[in-house]
Amino acid sequence: MNPQEQLEQRGKFRMTVFEEEYFQGKSCEFRFECQNILDRDFRKIRSIKVENGPWVGYEYPEFQGQQFILEKGDYPCYQAWSGNSSYRTEHMLSFRPIKCANHSDSKITLYECEDFMGRKFEMCEDYPSLQAMGWCSKEVPSIKINSGAWVGYQFPGYRGYQYIFERDRHQGEYRCYNEYGTQAHTNQIQSMRRIQQ
């Protein structure tokens, strides 16, 4: 990224992290990604304030492990960012901005089989239940992001593991569930929504 692009991005993304719950303890403001909060002399992140832009947080350094969507707002404790996740992690150790989010112009194509094979379905709206909208399986084996950024959830009602899908990652192509994230052990996705700017 050249210096001009860095200046333009600086105002679009801003997040303050805290070492303890309810915005207590050591804090630091970020405008760019952080691959490992431990390098900043933090032990962990336990609460977050997102002022600008959507972010994705990760359970481990180097953008590894469970993913958590962080949109504008306050996250006083891990339950606030993990939501109704069946997976409990009480901290995050790395995070980055989601630069391609565009809520008003987001389009995704779901495929019945890996490598974009089989029946497909295009979406431009949020769906709390893919099966209710006509998808006949609990699984989504491959995905193409035509525009914007999306978050997929393991269960209906935006619950369970979270998977972040972005147009500017993998060229927007997720050929199999292994590409959904380092924590992906299944292609089970039952609800999806657009990521807010």
Side-chain angles (χ1 to χ4, degrees), residues 4-182:
Q4 179 62 32
E5 289 173 325
Q6 287 181 346
L7 284 174
E8 290 172 7
Q9 291 294 328
R10 189 166 291 183
K12 291 183 181 180
F13 301 99
R14 190 170 75 231
M15 178 170 79
T16 304
V17 301
F18 298 83
E19 197 167 43
E20 299 301 332
E21 291 184 343
Y22 299 97
F23 317 112
Q24 301 294 310
K26 186 187 298 188
S27 67
C28 187
E29 182 180 281
F30 289 89
R31 295 172 185 261
F32 299 99
E33 69 181 30
C34 176
Q35 292 185 3
N36 189 348
I37 197 70
L38 302 173
D39 292 342
R40 303 283 183 126
D41 292 326
F42 276 71
R43 292 174 295 141
K44 59 195 168 226
I45 298 171
R46 300 285 306 262
S47 56
I48 300 166
K49 288 182 181 256
V50 177
E51 287 91 19
N52 286 338
W55 296 72
V56 56
Y58 294 85
E59 176 182 20
Y60 298 117
E62 306 296 327
F63 315 122
Q64 301 292 309
Q66 176 64 32
Q67 304 170 20
F68 300 99
I69 185 68
L70 301 166
E71 293 165 312
K72 187 175 181 177
D74 291 350
Y75 300 84
C77 58
Y78 78 90
Q79 292 98 331
W81 68 67
S82 63
N84 294 321
S85 177
S86 58
Y87 183 81
R88 178 183 164 145
T89 183
E90 297 184 12
H91 64 270
M92 64 178 66
L93 297 176
S94 59
F95 48 86
R96 63 177 176 78
I98 299 172
K99 297 178 181 172
C100 65
N102 185 350
H103 190 262
S104 62
D105 181 27
S106 292
K107 188 175 180 182
I108 187 171
T109 306
L110 311 180
Y111 291 85
E112 183 178 45
C113 301
E114 291 185 352
D115 292 318
F116 317 120
M117 304 296 289
R119 189 174 74 110
K120 66 181 182 177
F121 187 84
E122 291 185 352
M123 298 175 11
C124 333
E125 301 292 328
D126 302 345
Y127 284 98
S129 172
L130 294 178
Q131 289 180 303
M133 68 95 182
W135 191 254
C136 59
S137 174
K138 293 180 180 180
E139 299 174 343
V140 180
S142 57
I143 295 173
K144 272 190 189 175
I145 307 302
N146 307 91
S147 57
W150 294 74
V151 57
Y153 296 84
Q154 181 181 15
F155 301 119
Y158 311 120
R159 297 177 302 112
Y161 285 114
Q162 300 175 27
Y163 304 102
I164 311 303
F165 301 101
E166 300 165 81
R167 176 67 184 100
D168 62 359
R169 298 258 170 187
H170 302 282
Q171 292 81 42
E173 297 184 350
Y174 299 82
R175 296 183 168 280
C176 65
Y177 77 88
N178 291 344
E179 296 178 354
Y180 296 177
T182 60

